[in-house]
Amino acid sequence: MDTELDAATARPARTPRRYDKTRMEAFSDGVFAFAITLLVLDIVIPSAEGDRDLLAAFLEQWPEYVAYVVSFATIGAIWLAHNSISEHLTKVDSTYMRLNLVLLLFVAFTPFPTRFLSQYIQVQDAERVAVTIYGIAFLVLALIVVCLWVYAKRAGLLTHGADDDKEVAANSQRLPQGLIAYPVLIVVGLFWPMVAVFGYLALALYFMIPFRIRRRRQRAAAAAAK
């Protein structure tokens, strides 16, 4: 009797809630676009008297241009990785949505360390602090993208055969490399700040190079070696 009563009063198992993937992608793309737009808005138009003075004032702002290019390339690389993951999602759950929000939190934060870097890159001692904060911000972005990818795989959110996709395979190889490269560059920045900044740019470009192009180059190099 007690068994029948327990069976009758037992609550049905809750099925995990699924969210609209399209809305998540649209919202994410909007935040990425907003962050990139803020980067260029931080570049101040120089003012001077005469053509020569204006050209000199324009060239003096090179730290702002460098910071803009590096941050743009890094956000672009993160967006490409995020996009390749989203394309292979069959569904998203509450945990993935929250991880995605954490990623967007730091994407929207990127213009701040970018501005910080551009203002203090030429200030002795202070530039080390600026470059360190800059690198940590990028490290966190790469870490969260890796967390998104690992969770999507373990939670069964990806389409069947996603691991066979060339872009997905490239991300599986390159993203963990970023988790190693960023700490190394952060340490380098304590001694040679500008070397670290251009290292961040090189790392972002490495992530952005199409997988097929790099694969063809590897094949061509192997054929030439033979």
Side-chain angles (χ1 to χ4, degrees):
M1 183 68 179
D2 292 339
T3 305
E4 294 179 357
L5 182 61
D6 291 341
T9 57
R11 295 181 178 179
R14 294 183 178 180
T15 57
R17 181 179 178 183
R18 303 302 181 186
Y19 292 85
D20 187 358
K21 169 187 159 182
T22 304
R23 292 189 63 188
M24 183 203 70
E25 291 174 338
F27 179 67
S28 300
D29 288 345
V31 174
F32 275 98
F34 178 73
I36 285 180
T37 302
L38 288 181
L39 292 178
V40 72
L41 292 179
D42 281 337
I43 300 178
V44 180
I45 298 177
S47 58
E49 297 179 359
D51 294 341
R52 293 184 178 179
D53 292 339
L54 182 58
L55 178 59
F58 174 80
L59 295 177
E60 286 177 358
Q61 293 187 179
W62 68 264
E64 296 184 11
Y65 311 141
V66 171
Y68 167 75
V69 171
V70 177
S71 295
F72 185 97
T74 302
I75 292 179
I78 295 296
W79 178 80
L80 287 174
H82 183 271
N83 185 60
S84 65
I85 296 173
S86 299
E87 284 186 352
H88 293 88
L89 288 174
T90 58
K91 53 196 173 185
V92 290
D93 58 13
S94 59
T95 302
Y96 188 92
M97 290 284 286
R98 284 160 175 77
L99 284 173
N100 190 70
L101 282 175
V102 175
L103 174 65
L104 298 181
L105 168 70
F106 285 96
V107 168
F109 176 74
T110 303
F112 171 74
T114 302
R115 184 65 176 173
F116 197 65
L117 176 70
S118 64
Q119 288 187 352
Y120 292 99
I121 192 60
Q122 291 181 297
V123 180
Q124 189 175 6
D125 295 331
E127 64 179 353
R128 291 182 173 85
V129 177
V131 172
T132 300
I133 295 175
Y134 196 61
I136 291 175
F138 289 165
L139 173 61
V140 172
L141 284 175
L143 178 62
I144 299 173
V145 172
V146 171
C147 290
L148 279 174
W149 172 240
V150 172
Y151 178 78
K153 291 183 67 175
R154 293 184 176 180
L157 303 180
L158 299 176
T159 58
H160 179 69
D163 290 333
D164 297 331
D165 185 88
K166 293 180 180 180
E167 191 68 26
V168 173
N171 285 328
S172 298
Q173 296 174 359
R174 288 178 288 181
L175 290 176
Q177 294 172 1
L179 296 182
I180 299 174
Y182 278 119
V184 172
L185 289 174
I186 290 172
V187 174
V188 170
L190 297 175
F191 303 95
W192 305 285
M194 284 307 302
V195 173
V197 171
F198 285 104
Y200 297 138
L201 176 60
L203 189 58
L205 294 177
Y206 170 73
F207 289 149
M208 294 178 69
I209 294 175
F211 180 71
R212 293 178 181 177
I213 294 177
R214 293 198 296 116
R215 190 172 182 180
R216 289 173 184 173
R217 290 179 178 176
Q218 292 175 356
R219 290 178 177 176
K226 293 179 180 180

